[in-house]
Amino acid sequence: MFADRATIYVKSGKGGDGHVSFRREKFVANGGPDGGDGGKGGDVIFVVDEGLNTLTDFRHIRKYQAENGEEGGKKNCRGKNGADIVIKVPEGTVIKEADSGKVITDMSGDNKRVILLKGGRGGNGNQHYATPTMQVPRYAQPGQPAKELTLTLELKVIADVGLVGFPNVGKSTFLSRVTNARPKIANYHFTTLNPNLGVVDMDGNGFVIADIPGLIEGASEGVGLGYEFLRHIERTKVLIHMVDAAGTEGRDPIEDIYAINKELGAYNPEIAARPQVIAANKIDMFYEGENETIEKLRREFEGKGIMVFPISAVSGKGVKELLYKVRGMLDELDTKPVIFEQEYFPEWDLKSADEPYTVVYDEKEDEYVIEGPRIEKMLGYTNLESEKGFTFFQNFLKDNGILEELEALGIEEGDTVRMYGLSFDYYK
């Protein structure tokens, strides 16, 4: 069974506790402390497995936990580190924090391996706490606690072109003709239950096309199977909208196009705004000279910049022209893959009280300076050059009361704020 969504629980390993012990050897009357350090807890690691194309395995195993680090021992023996747990996912898996739905990481492109949760650090043994005034320390440091999260995994297939349309319009037949994919084909609704991927070979300048299962009205609201598969269109850059131009089931192709675009817009307006072409399929079923439907489609959509290509997925007529048009559209677009940016940072708590920060006014430089471990971590995790990253940065300053402190110091619009070598102009 194909599965493209799963919810799992993950937990890193707890750090081992430091040990309390003292040397007890012959001829050593008062041996000093020799308690060893605890071992580090295991990490939770996600890796891309090229052999996987579904999240089915996560329907059977939902809990994943790394090993705890061992406690330190006598004679300065360090505890054994806990084993990492490695979780394999297919390429294109987006990992989200379950409660908020925010993206933690996107296992796509160069992102093949991610340490999602680090294991706790092992505690220091009592050997570290001996001083001239405290030569017999009877305490050791406990290991850091484990970290845990409930995650939502979503598989969003990686394709340049999405093939959309109502059921039974010939998408699977088209895909089998133009690519190396071999989808199951039959003459009934919802034949395709899996998003099928295929590579269109165009003399070394091909592209990947995804046959998205047939949509129905209400799909964006979860009606039918449509909602389960709409997510697979999110990475595509161009849409081929296929309709049954022959009207073999009595449907109006113009109404079908508007209905599907409405569902795409309801799910994600950015998808509906992407470039489209219309593949008016099944022209092999026309009588000679009967092309009224094609003319109606052209009058309706070509004035809106959406070209119409009459094709026959069965005979191949018109298919080459359509593919070259799509290739040209892709060449005009950004070649970078669609990657979902990080929105949630599990390694640290934005409101953690044990990681302070300072907000001061530097009279000499006439700048307001914000520093501290929490600030340094935030800057390390955040891509300030992206719109989402900069929005996250602004919300961080607001949610942590930093903006209030700046205003309390008398900051005005246009003043400079400095954070670890980065300077910003302050504006409300």
Side-chain angles (χ1 to χ4, degrees), residues 71-262:
E71 182 183 354
K74 299 179 179 179
K75 300 182 179 179
N76 299 329
C77 288
R78 190 178 188 280
K80 182 181 176 183
N81 291 341
D84 300 332
I85 186 163
V86 179
I87 304 171
K88 297 179 179 180
V89 295
E91 186 174 9
T93 300
V94 179
I95 302 173
K96 299 180 178 181
E97 196 275 325
D99 291 337
S100 66
K102 293 183 176 180
V103 174
I104 298 175
T105 190
D106 183 351
M107 304 299 291
S108 305
D110 296 329
N111 194 30
K112 305 292 186 184
R113 184 180 186 274
V114 171
I115 300 176
L116 197 85
L117 292 179
K118 291 184 178 180
R121 189 176 61 239
N124 291 329
N126 70 331
Q127 60 174 307
H128 293 278
Y129 300 105
T131 66
T133 56
M134 173 60 73
Q135 298 183 10
V136 190
R138 299 188 180 278
Y139 58 85
Q141 185 183 35
Q144 285 186 336
K147 298 181 176 69
E148 54 188 330
L149 274 178
T150 300
L151 305 173
T152 299
L153 310 182
E154 290 186 354
L155 178 58
K156 301 176 189 285
V157 299
I158 298 175
D160 304 300
V161 178
L163 185 59
V164 299
F166 271 80
N168 205 31
V169 295
K171 299 195 306 298
S172 295
T173 304
F174 175 79
L175 191 74
S176 65
R177 168 166 286 279
V178 302
T179 76
N180 55 0
R182 293 293 176 265
K184 293 181 180 179
I185 300 170
N187 189 31
Y188 54 89
H189 290 285
F190 296 111
T191 300
T192 309
L193 295 182
N194 300 358
N196 288 301
L197 286 179
V199 179
V200 178
D201 185 8
M202 300 183 70
D203 301 323
N205 191 26
F207 53 86
V208 179
I209 187 170
D211 168 19
I212 308 302
L215 303 177
I216 60 175
E217 291 180 81
S220 60
E221 300 171 2
V223 177
L225 296 172
Y227 182 80
E228 293 300 315
F229 298 106
L230 276 167
R231 65 174 60 93
H232 294 299
I233 309 176
E234 290 190 57
R235 296 191 197 271
T236 59
K237 299 173 183 176
V238 173
L239 299 178
I240 297 176
H241 204 135
M242 185 165 286
V243 294
D244 177 3
T248 55
E249 296 192 350
R251 304 188 60 87
D252 183 338
I254 292 177
E255 291 182 2
D256 284 356
I257 291 171
Y258 281 121
I260 293 297
N261 281 337
K262 180 181 177 182

Side-chain angles (χ1 to χ4, degrees), residues 273-315:
R274 286 176 190 163
Q276 293 188 21
V277 293
I278 295 171
N281 193 24
K282 303 188 181 181
I283 62 170
D284 53 289
M285 303 182 71
F286 285 177
Y287 290 111
E288 186 68 28
E290 185 180 345
N291 58 6
E292 182 180 347
T293 301
I294 303 297
E295 291 304 317
K296 285 182 178 179
L297 285 166
R298 283 176 170 155
R299 285 197 301 268
E300 184 70 24
F301 294 104
E302 290 198 344
K304 300 175 182 178
I306 304 175
M307 290 191 66
V308 177
F309 289 84
I311 70 163
S312 170
V314 173
S315 70

Side-chain angles (χ1 to χ4, degrees), residues 11 32 38-39 62 174 235 308 369 422:
K11 185 176 182 180
R62 295 180 179 270
F174 175 79
R235 296 191 197 271
V308 177
V369 182
L422 298 174

